[in-house]
Structure formats: structure tokens, C-alpha cells
Amino acid sequence: MADPLSIVLVGIGGYGGTYCSLLLNDQQSCGKIVGVVDPFAEKALYFNELKKHKIPFYNTLAEFYQVHHTADLAIISTPIALHSRQTCEALEHGSHVLCEKPLCAHPLEAEAMLAAQHKSGLLVAIGYQWSYASAIQSLKADILAGRLGRPVQFKTMVLWPRTDTYYARNNWAGALKNADGDWVLDSPANNACAHYLHNMLYLAGPSTEESVTPTQMQAELYRANPISNYDTAAFRIATRNGPEILFYTTHACSRLLGPIFKYTFEKATVEFVTGGDIIATFANGRQKNYGSPDQDGVKEKLWGTMRAIRGDGSILCGIEASKKQTLCIYAAMLSCPTIRDFPGDLVYKAGIPGRQVRVMTGLAELLEKAYIESALPAEISDASWLNPGKPIRIPQSKKDF
């Protein structure tokens, strides 16, 4: 049996704990944690267990590489503003990378990551777990084989309430930039629900490892919370030789709904509701069940990346595939440069004091109606607070960012 891959965990709080659990407790693991980089490690759930294994801790990646010189794999689960620089630093020191979603905050950061990868010749995987799930890979194989016909329209809705504690958990939640002036662009579309925007782009891509190129964006951006970025968004995206993409998401609602999606093809309709399976219904009434996209992606993004490093398989979701979601987030700002605050008299707080959600009256119902009618909210309502953005061409090259 081959020696285990040496792994440095960069960030073990929050989602980083998932990787701790897999590497410490899952029998599939063929990796050895050789270091942890996290200046706040003692607050993490797995801190004591990692200490019991005598794994050394460091405040920065630079400190880790000074001691260890390299590691086979760096797993990065840090704030969005750090993804690009830490990925580049790990590549420069000879480590392959698995970086959590989203790819980064700004397209220029994505370009820097691509340049660093090309220079290093190493692998970079991005942790959009649905992309690694067997259900999504099976669906994408059928799409690429033409079994569902030409993709016409993909739409997704995710209504996920988030409390004031969610926005108070760090100093960059809901922020355009952090305290150092770095881009963050934290929003439901670029963090909690980024998977589901990315999934539409990914499934429409021209190959297993590519996403479709978004060419035009029209966005509506709103907020109920006292943040600098938006907590509610609706996007209409045109793509190159691909489907129209519609995306609806908010944290300013009182009930949990989604993700739900409906992908329309010439020969079939593919639908999913949270907790169920992905079901394709063909024109002749035949159905195909692809299974749940939530079943195995979390594990497979780690084990698949480790297999690829050993030369067995490829990276299903890398920088190029993930960059298209970053382009959409950037383009939404260009389409709708002013984020509209919901009217104060229509926003109320729901829940237990200290864990309350700011709810925009009637918003969930409006987004559901827009989803059903495949429209943007401003196209189906005459409410005075609506803020339609302009359709804009999505910049594609470094000189346009």
C-alpha cells in the first residue's frame, strides 16, 4: 500500500471540522494530517482530538512551510478573502490544493489562482460537493451524451433564513469587503447557497470538468439586514450555447424552502426538491431517478481529490469550472450597483431574541411566484421597493475586470 498523503489543514473551524472528522475517523482515509494552520484553532470542535494526535499547530501557512517545507495536499477552509492568496501560497510550496467553495471573491483573484496553478503544474479542486456527487455526475453524463436533448432553461430557488447570530459570527458576514479592504462579497449567492448557482453552470458545461460560460446578467439585489452586501438576490443569466439560468435566493424569510430546481431540456424535464432525488421525466412519460445529490459529495470531493493526486482519475471541479460562478457574482454588482434596502415598515423580526431573523413581508411568496413564472420579481410585481438591474455583458478577460 502506498504511503499516506501528507495533509495540512488550513482552517479547522466551521466547515473545516468536516475534513477533520473524515481524516480522523473515516476508514477510507489514506491521508495523514501533518499540520494545522489556524490562529483560532483552540475554538474549533476538533482542537483537543488533534492535539491528542500530537499534530502541530501554526498561525500562518508561511510558518507551516518553514517547518515542513511542503505537504502533498493543503485543504483550505478559511474565509472567502483568503482563498486566493492561500491557494497560491500552497501551490508555490509544492502542495496540491482542495479549497472550499466559493472559489474566491473577485475574478482577478481567480486569474491569480489559475496562473499559480499553471506555473506549479499541481492540482486544485474546489469544494462544491454536488459536483462530486454520483447523482450529479450521472446526470451530467446523460446531458453530455445528448440523452435529454438541448438544455433550454435551468432555474433554482433557495430560501434559507439566517439569524442575527449568523451575521454576528465573524467580521465579514454579509460584507462587500473585510476590515482590511479585501473583497469578500459574502451573500447567499456567494456563500451558503453558492452550490446551487454553481450547479446549474456546471451541469450546462461542455465537458465533465467544465462549466458553461455566462455571457449576460440581469440582477436584482436587496437586503433586510444591516450589512454592506445583499441578503436577497434574483439573477437571470444568459450563457454561451447553453440554457437560460434563473436563480432566486434570500436569507430574509421566515421559513426554510429549497434548494428546489427545475431544469428544462428539449426531451426532458429534470426536477429536485430538498430531501428527495433528482428525477428526469422524458417526453414519452418515462422517468429516470438519479438519486440524491446530497448522498456522497462531501466525502467524494476529498477522496476523489486524493485519488487524483495519486494519478487515479481527474479533478471534477477545479478553478476553471468554479470561476464561472465568480464571474456571475461580479456581474451581479455591475448589473445592479445599488443594493436596495427593503422598506423598514415591511421588515419584522421573527424568532427568539438573540436568534432572530429579519423577514421581509411577502418576499418568500414573491420569489416563489417569480420562480414558477420564470421571471424576475420586478417583472411580475409593481411594488415600489423593487430594484431591477440592467442586463449587462459579463466581462470575460482580465483587462475588463
Side-chain angles (χ1 to χ4, degrees):
M1 181 179 292
D3 291 337
L5 296 177
S6 58
I7 297 173
V8 55
L9 295 176
V10 189
I12 59 169
Y15 198 86
T18 301
Y19 291 114
C20 291
S21 177
L22 288 172
L23 291 166
L24 291 170
N25 303 316
D26 197 297
Q27 296 302 310
Q28 291 188 62
S29 179
C30 56
K32 178 182 179 182
I33 304 170
V34 297
V36 170
V37 176
D38 192 329
F40 308 104
E42 67 279 0
K43 298 179 180 180
L45 178 63
Y46 284 90
F47 175 73
N48 289 329
E49 188 171 351
L50 291 164
K51 291 286 280 187
K52 287 179 184 177
H53 284 78
K54 301 188 184 311
I55 296 167
F57 289 75
Y58 304 90
N59 287 329
T60 67
L61 258 180
E63 290 177 8
F64 168 80
Y65 285 120
Q66 284 173 3
V67 175
H68 289 268
H69 304 296
T70 193
D72 295 316
L73 174 63
I75 300 178
I76 298 172
S77 307
T78 55
I80 298 168
L82 299 177
H83 287 188
S84 180
R85 72 182 74 167
Q86 288 180 333
T87 295
C88 293
E89 185 174 5
L91 291 169
E92 289 166 5
H93 286 87
S95 299
H96 301 279
V97 174
L98 169 55
C99 179
E100 258 312 300
K101 61 82 190 166
L103 174 66
C104 56
H106 194 281
L108 286 177
E109 296 175 344
E111 295 300 323
M113 296 168 82
L114 275 174
Q117 182 183 16
H118 291 156
K119 183 178 179 180
S120 69
L122 298 169
L123 302 178
V124 179
I126 306 302
Y128 282 111
Q129 58 240 30
W130 271 20
S131 299
Y132 302 86
S134 55
I136 295 297
Q137 285 300 316
S138 179
L139 174 57
K140 182 153 187 172
D142 279 357
I143 295 171
L144 292 173
R147 296 186 180 98
L148 289 82
R150 181 178 63 87
V152 178
Q153 183 190 79
F154 290 1
K155 59 183 180 180
T156 299
M157 179 171 60
V158 198
L159 312 183
W160 280 4
R162 287 295 184 263
T163 66
D164 45 16
T165 54
Y166 175 85
Y167 284 105
R169 76 192 193 282
N170 56 47
N171 61 4
W172 53 267
L176 286 168
K177 293 185 176 183
N178 63 18
D180 295 325
D182 301 315
W183 286 108
V184 179
L185 300 182
D186 183 60
S187 71
N190 200 37
N191 195 344
C193 308
H195 293 283
Y196 314 115
L197 172 59
H198 165 80
N199 191 60
M200 292 187 284
L201 296 160
Y202 178 71
L203 281 174
S207 75
T208 302
E209 298 163 11
E210 292 181 276
S211 294
V212 73
T213 298
T215 57
Q216 182 173 286
M217 164 69 76
Q218 185 173 11
E220 296 183 24
L221 307 178
Y222 307 96
R223 63 184 163 221
N225 288 278
I227 55 178
S228 56
N229 206 13
Y230 53 89
D231 56 34
T232 301
F235 297 165
R236 175 185 283 122
I237 303 165
T239 64
R240 182 180 300 160
N241 301 319
E244 176 186 61
I245 288 177
L246 295 161
F247 185 59
Y248 311 87
T249 186
T250 185
H251 289 332
C253 54
S254 60
R255 60 192 178 92
L256 185 70
L257 178 64
I260 63 173
F261 67 63
K262 183 176 183 180
Y263 301 161
T264 303
F265 298 81
E266 283 182 323
K267 300 178 183 178
T269 299
V270 179
E271 295 182 270
F272 170 77
V273 176
T274 304
D277 294 340
I278 299 172
I279 305 293
T281 303
F282 293 84
N284 62 4
R286 181 176 67 88
Q287 290 191 325
K288 180 171 181 178
N289 186 327
Y290 290 93
S292 169
D294 296 316
Q295 185 173 4
D296 54 3
V298 171
K299 289 185 177 182
E300 189 55 30
K301 65 182 174 183
L302 176 57
W303 308 142
T305 298
M306 295 172 72
R307 288 196 302 270
I309 291 171
R310 294 185 180 279
D312 178 16
S314 61
I315 297 298
L316 297 175
C317 180
I319 297 174
E320 279 286 5
S322 304
K323 186 177 74 169
K324 305 307 169 62
Q325 185 269 352
T326 303
L327 287 176
C328 288
I329 298 303
Y330 177 73
M333 288 196 306
L334 302 181
S335 169
C336 193
T338 301
I339 300 167
R340 179 67 56 85
D341 289 302
F342 290 126
D345 60 343
L346 295 180
V347 176
Y348 65 93
K349 291 184 177 181
I352 302 169
R355 294 185 59 84
Q356 292 182 311
V357 178
R358 292 174 188 261
V359 180
M360 171 59 186
T361 303
L363 176 63
E365 292 76 12
L366 177 57
L367 291 179
E368 285 185 77
K369 187 171 188 285
Y371 174 82
I372 291 168
E373 297 187 15
S374 299
L376 293 177
E379 296 170 340
I380 59 170
S381 172
D382 59 1
S384 60
W385 52 265
L386 286 160
N387 184 38
K390 296 179 179 179
I392 59 103
R393 181 186 66 84
I394 298 179
Q396 303 291 333
S397 62
K398 195 172 181 179
K399 62 181 176 60
D400 295 326
F401 300 138

